[in-house]
Amino acid sequence: MTGRGFLPEGWGVQGEGGIAFVVTGPSGAGKSSVIGELLRRDGRLSFSVSATTRPRRPGEVHGRDYYFLSEEEFDGLIQRGELLEWTEYQGHRYGTPRSQVVDVLAQGRDVLLNVEVRGALAIARAGLPYPVVLVFMIPPTWEELAARIRARGTESEKALDARLAIAREEVRHIPEFHYLVVNDRLEEAVRQLEAIVIAERRRITRC
Ligand code: ADP
Ligand code: 5GP
């Protein structure tokens, strides 16, 4: 399976469709920050906007960061089979609209997703006729993880503890991923993710 672009047009062999880059990691690892910066730099990447029932945080925009839906609206997406995968995380539901991924990949554009571990592995197993690259992101230390969630100021102390407990479980899945990005300095983490995207676009064969 190949992504488009491993050969320039006119050479007679051409892959079709884009590549899905799935970025996972504990809440607070810096996924949104790194992804946001990479999207600004790489016009060929399309962000998969998830649907969620969690309340909007200050600064978040409906349709850009998430589709913020009611429980009933989310039920509708599930019933109509419009989600590629969905999960419950800390009392709220999150799901990947099929169209955000499949339609974009079919047009030959690459897609960047920000989903938790189970969602990432579900997307890898979904049988998409396009390459799926799994990237796990962690901060340099546990202490830094807790400090970043606190600094973001979006969670209560109880929710913070719950997110850290989930993180303990999530990191056990790192060996199932293709790449690890350590987000110590933001700029270096963006560079690492960008390097993965560039290398995967040049890949000829995949096993
Ligand atoms: P995630 O999307 O993985 O939950 P965020 O992108 O929301 O994480 O980042 C969590 C917090 O950490 C935010 O306040 C963000 O500004 C901060 N942050 C992200 N990357 C870094 C970094 N490399 N160094 C310091 N702070 C960071
Ligand atoms: P947050 O509430 O911090 O924005 O996100 C909580 C968790 O949900 C993060 O780990 C994020 O990656 C994950 N997430 C966001 N959208 C989706 C989605 O569509 N599917 C799945 N499985 N997880 C998601």
Side-chain angles (χ1 to χ4, degrees):
M1 202 186 293
T2 56
R4 187 189 292 274
F6 73 96
L7 264 183
E9 269 177 49
W11 288 84
V13 188
Q14 188 67 41
E16 283 189 3
I19 304 171
F21 294 94
V22 185
V23 181
T24 291
S27 173
K31 300 180 296 298
S32 309
S33 309
V34 173
I35 286 173
E37 186 52 37
L38 187 56
L39 288 170
R40 277 186 281 279
R41 295 184 193 184
D42 186 336
R44 283 174 61 191
L45 281 172
S46 166
F47 182 60
S48 166
V49 181
S50 292
T52 185
T53 58
R54 98 149 151 68
R56 203 170 57 83
R57 292 177 187 148
E60 285 183 330
V61 176
H62 178 80
R64 183 194 70 186
D65 301 293
Y66 281 106
Y67 294 106
F68 296 98
L69 305 183
S70 66
E71 297 291 344
E72 294 70 30
E73 288 168 328
F74 202 96
D75 286 340
L77 289 183
I78 297 173
Q79 280 155 16
R80 292 191 299 275
E82 290 178 25
L83 297 180
L84 192 55
E85 60 78 36
W86 68 272
T87 195
E88 193 160 329
Y89 181 97
Q90 284 226 269
H92 301 295
R93 290 185 288 173
Y94 297 80
T96 305
R98 203 174 281 280
S99 60
Q100 291 283 317
V101 177
V102 178
D103 296 358
V104 178
L105 291 172
Q107 290 159 14
R109 279 167 62 79
D110 299 330
V111 177
L112 203 51
L113 297 93
N114 175 354
V115 301
E116 50 69 72
V117 170
R118 285 166 300 174
L121 297 176
I123 290 165
R125 285 192 301 260
L128 293 175
Y130 306 100
V132 176
V133 178
L134 300 176
V135 181
F136 204 101
M137 186 179 298
I138 50 171
T141 62
W142 278 103
E143 292 70 29
E144 180 64 16
L145 179 63
R148 284 189 192 167
I149 303 178
R150 270 204 189 91
R152 194 170 61 194
T154 52
E155 316 303 321
S156 65
E157 276 303 303
K158 196 160 151 253
L160 169 79
D161 285 346
R163 285 189 176 230
L164 289 175
I166 294 170
R168 290 262 173 217
E169 176 58 29
E170 285 182 325
V171 294
R172 293 174 47 197
H173 290 278
I174 289 177
E176 294 163 62
F177 282 67
H178 299 126
Y179 292 98
L180 183 68
V181 169
V182 179
N183 178 17
D184 191 347
R185 282 183 47 249
L186 185 70
E187 171 57 29
E188 176 57 21
V190 175
R191 223 169 64 87
Q192 287 179 23
L193 187 57
E194 191 173 30
I196 292 165
V197 170
I198 292 170
E200 288 291 335
R201 283 178 178 156
R202 307 308 337 145
R203 189 186 275 275
I204 296 169
T205 56
R206 292 168 200 275
C207 45

